[in-house]
Amino acid sequence: MTENDGNDERKKGSNPKKLKLVTFTGAAGLLGLAVSFAIFAFKSHKEKSKKKGLPGCDTVCVNLSAKEILELADEIISKSTRIHDTVALVPLNKLSYENVVLPLAELEARQLSLIQCCVFPKMLSPQDSVRRASAEAEQNIDAHILSCRKREDVYRVIKIYAAKGESISPEAKCYLLCLVRDFEQNGLNLTATKREEVERLKSEIDELSSRYVQNLNEDSSCLFFTEDELAGLPLEFLQSLEKARNNEFKLTLESRNVAAILELCKMAKTRKTVAMAYGKRCGDANIPVLEKLVQSRHRLARLLGYAHFADYALDCRMSKTSTRVISFLEDISSGLTDLATREFSILKDLKRKEEGELPFGIEDLLYYIKRVEELQFDLDFGDIRQYFPVSLVLPGIFKICQDLFGIKIEEVTEVDVWYYDVRAFAVFDSGSGKLLGYFYLDMFSREGKFSHSCVVSLQNNALFSNGACQIPVALLIAQCAKDGGGEALPLGFSEVVNLFHEFGHVVQHICNRASFARFSGLRVDPDFREIPSQLLENWCYESFTLKLISGYRQDVTKPLVDEVCKTLKRWRYSFSALKSLQEILYCLFDQRIYSDDDVDFHQLIRSLHPKVMLGLPVVEGTNPASCFPRAVIGSEATCYSRIWSEVFAADIFATKFGDGHPNLYTGLQFRDKVLSHGGGKDAMELLTSFLGREPSIQAFIDSRTTYSL
Ligand SMILES: *[C@@H]1O[C@H](CO)[C@@H](O)[C@H](O)[C@H]1NC(C)=O
Ligand SMILES: *[C@@H]1O[C@H](CO)[C@@H](O)[C@H](O)[C@H]1NC(C)=O
Ligand SMILES: [Zn+2]
């Protein structure tokens, strides 16, 4: 849990920075095409190259050539331009839902899959030329989308239509608000001078945040240690290090090296030296950059009508205001303090036994957690891995999802894919037998493939005014390994958890029946987006699930034994209070710097650190302000969102799924009352209606207290 690396794949979940999903937010709402366009475009592509799409779903085309991608991108842009022109030219006295909102909404729905077909190969195609074409197409489409969001003529039409206050459905109203906001976040309702200022600030922000990240990427600081100073590290680790003068080892400060030292190195002094150097990276360069960046962000937010940047970033999220985020974090922090104090005293005792009366520092935390865990849990993760062959885990996950959410998953063969081992599946409603959607599974890592796990939307659910509907298509990207002979290797336990998590996104995507593409698929409140996945993770710690998905490599009829299953559940919560406090610390730091003017970063971390971390001071001279990229790009002012969803997923699980057995009745209720509405309704209201009360943090605190110690 090195919160300042942000390289935990699971945290990135469905929404890594690079995915087009992010760019779509808002932008695609403005793209309009003639209704027939999408179908036309793909029919022509299909005839040319005899492509085999998913049955009944010819809008998703996944193995386009470089040439086809570039042509399609051009078509997307020119049709979009034409439709924008048409909307802009509707006479102001004739504006109606049918000629302003509907064309934009329907064609956003159709366009989303076309854009994705151009853009996702960048991450997954085995062919270099295709990846390059896809990246180029993406750039062109992005630039086009941005230019659409700045079109005054279209904005004026939408704004005037909105002011008429016609009676339309709640979801349509919500969509209209989003359309208006897309423009206004670009300053379109401001005077020309202020709009220029918005432009200037946006490019300044881009420039500063990339400089910050670049400084970190280019940081080459390193440390030198003798073999004795690295006592405790495994031989393979030492062998991976460069040897320097005097036979010393050269340690570069990459997060995996640092994590290894902090977890395994027996020498307190080495841990401290490394923690200090790691936390001081780019101190001189990046702190002034962040100061300037925060100010520019506040200025931008104020121009757009917000009190400060955090409120701007939280607009349209469950949390809504910075005040609420801060009290949420503080409440969890105080709720966990007792437990964390007990956890901490165990660590301090062991340190005293091993090192005498030296003070305990934050740099000792991971090392002693690891030591105590080795003593407390008889878990050999290398051996446990032998119990999770893909051939059991995957059908096991399918079965849990099916039993829980009332769906049926069936493989679809003989369809186009972009790599030979990619598979496609259809998802049906098990009650009615109705086809709900599809997903592709690109499960194994390979050279040139995007290197994180995530779920990408290839097509979102949508209903059209002519009665036609478009079904959701998701793409799950995982990073499981194969051996030299191309056989799937068994999965590590964390990979199993990760797969459950990603399947949570797939289920969410496919069960989202919102009729606007803007609100379907994974386009839901980002504070809500991780909740279904976090929820599903709970099942992989239940004994009956573990038995279902495990089988020893040499004899798959032998699942994990009860003892190991139970230990895994306890292990899940081991030192969880301390780990959560550490995350909360960084979330608070992030939230504070973006919700107040002129925050003194040094002062802030000096007071926050001991307050949250049970009196432990920040490592001398270090400051997350210099090396905390998540708070700069990607999760700025929203770092809290991960723990937010973890907390409410724990509430849902404890309150509604009690004993952990898949309960179809409750699962269907969750599907119906929460998932099916997607982003078209306030997520807090949905959860409240499902739970029968407002979501609470109590179950999260209680679950940790119950299972720990
Ligand atoms: C522009 O729009 C924002 C957001 O809708 C609003 O808060 C602000 O008051 C508007 N400004 C003007 C000048 O209309
Ligand atoms: C994808 O299309 C290319 C031609 O553009 C073809 O050579 C390749 O075999 C196809 N890939 C798969 C996995 O079908
Ligand atoms: Zn996720």
Side-chain angles (χ1 to χ4, degrees), residues 51 63-65 127 416-420:
K51 299 207 183 285
N63 189 28
L64 297 175
S65 69
Q127 287 167 271
D416 278 329
V417 287
W418 50 96
Y419 193 71
Y420 77 92

Side-chain angles (χ1 to χ4, degrees), residues 10-14 501-502 505 530 533:
R10 276 200 282 142
K11 286 182 195 168
K12 295 208 164 131
S14 63
H501 179 100
E502 299 306 341
H505 289 304
E530 295 299 318
S533 297

Side-chain angles (χ1 to χ4, degrees), residues 22-228:
V22 178
T23 311
F24 285 147
T25 308
L30 304 174
L31 297 172
L33 299 179
V35 175
S36 58
F37 163 59
I39 292 166
F40 156 78
F42 269 121
K43 284 221 171 101
S44 64
H45 281 296
K46 286 178 80 162
E47 274 153 21
K48 259 184 265 163
S49 47
K50 300 204 174 44
K51 299 207 183 285
K52 283 194 298 279
L54 299 163
C57 174
D58 56 5
T59 38
V60 172
C61 208
V62 295
N63 189 28
L64 297 175
S65 69
K67 186 162 165 283
E68 287 169 323
I69 286 175
L70 291 171
E71 282 170 5
L72 181 56
D74 285 346
E75 274 178 77
I76 288 170
I77 291 169
S78 66
K79 300 279 177 171
S80 155
T81 307
R82 234 173 293 158
I83 295 303
H84 277 82
D85 293 347
T86 312
V87 171
L89 288 175
V90 179
L92 296 183
N93 59 355
K94 297 228 171 78
L95 303 182
S96 70
Y97 181 74
E98 285 68 27
N99 63 21
V100 178
V101 182
L102 205 58
L104 295 176
E106 298 207 336
L107 299 158
E108 167 177 3
R110 302 203 185 264
Q111 183 130 42
L112 185 111
S113 42
L114 301 185
I115 296 177
Q116 290 300 61
C117 294
C118 290
V119 162
F120 92 87
K122 185 186 82 167
M123 306 191 292
L124 299 179
S125 172
Q127 287 167 271
D128 206 31
S129 59
V130 173
R131 292 202 299 269
R132 263 183 284 129
S134 174
E136 185 185 332
E138 178 185 30
Q139 270 195 353
N140 298 344
I141 292 171
D142 276 358
H144 169 75
I145 290 175
L146 190 62
S147 75
C148 292
R149 298 174 80 166
K150 294 181 180 169
R151 282 187 65 157
E152 277 181 72
D153 52 357
V154 183
Y155 169 62
R156 194 168 47 118
V157 166
I158 293 172
K159 187 82 176 177
I160 293 172
Y161 170 73
K164 284 172 54 167
E166 260 188 11
S167 143
I168 48 179
S169 75
E171 202 183 334
K173 207 174 265 175
C174 204
Y175 180 71
L176 181 58
L177 284 177
C178 289
L179 282 184
V180 171
R181 189 166 39 226
D182 287 342
F183 289 99
E184 299 194 345
Q185 299 231 323
N186 278 306
L188 281 234
N189 65 337
L190 302 177
T191 61
T193 342
K194 286 189 175 165
R195 197 184 313 165
E196 270 167 35
E197 180 67 359
V198 167
E199 287 289 300
R200 196 191 61 75
L201 286 167
K202 285 196 170 184
S203 57
E204 184 173 287
I205 288 165
D206 282 350
E207 197 267 321
L208 289 167
S209 35
S210 33
R211 191 175 340 144
Y212 185 101
V213 173
Q214 199 182 341
N215 285 342
L216 279 173
N217 288 342
E218 286 171 0
D219 177 76
S220 57
S221 28
C222 59
L223 296 166
F224 296 91
F225 294 107
T226 64
E227 191 163 348
D228 289 346

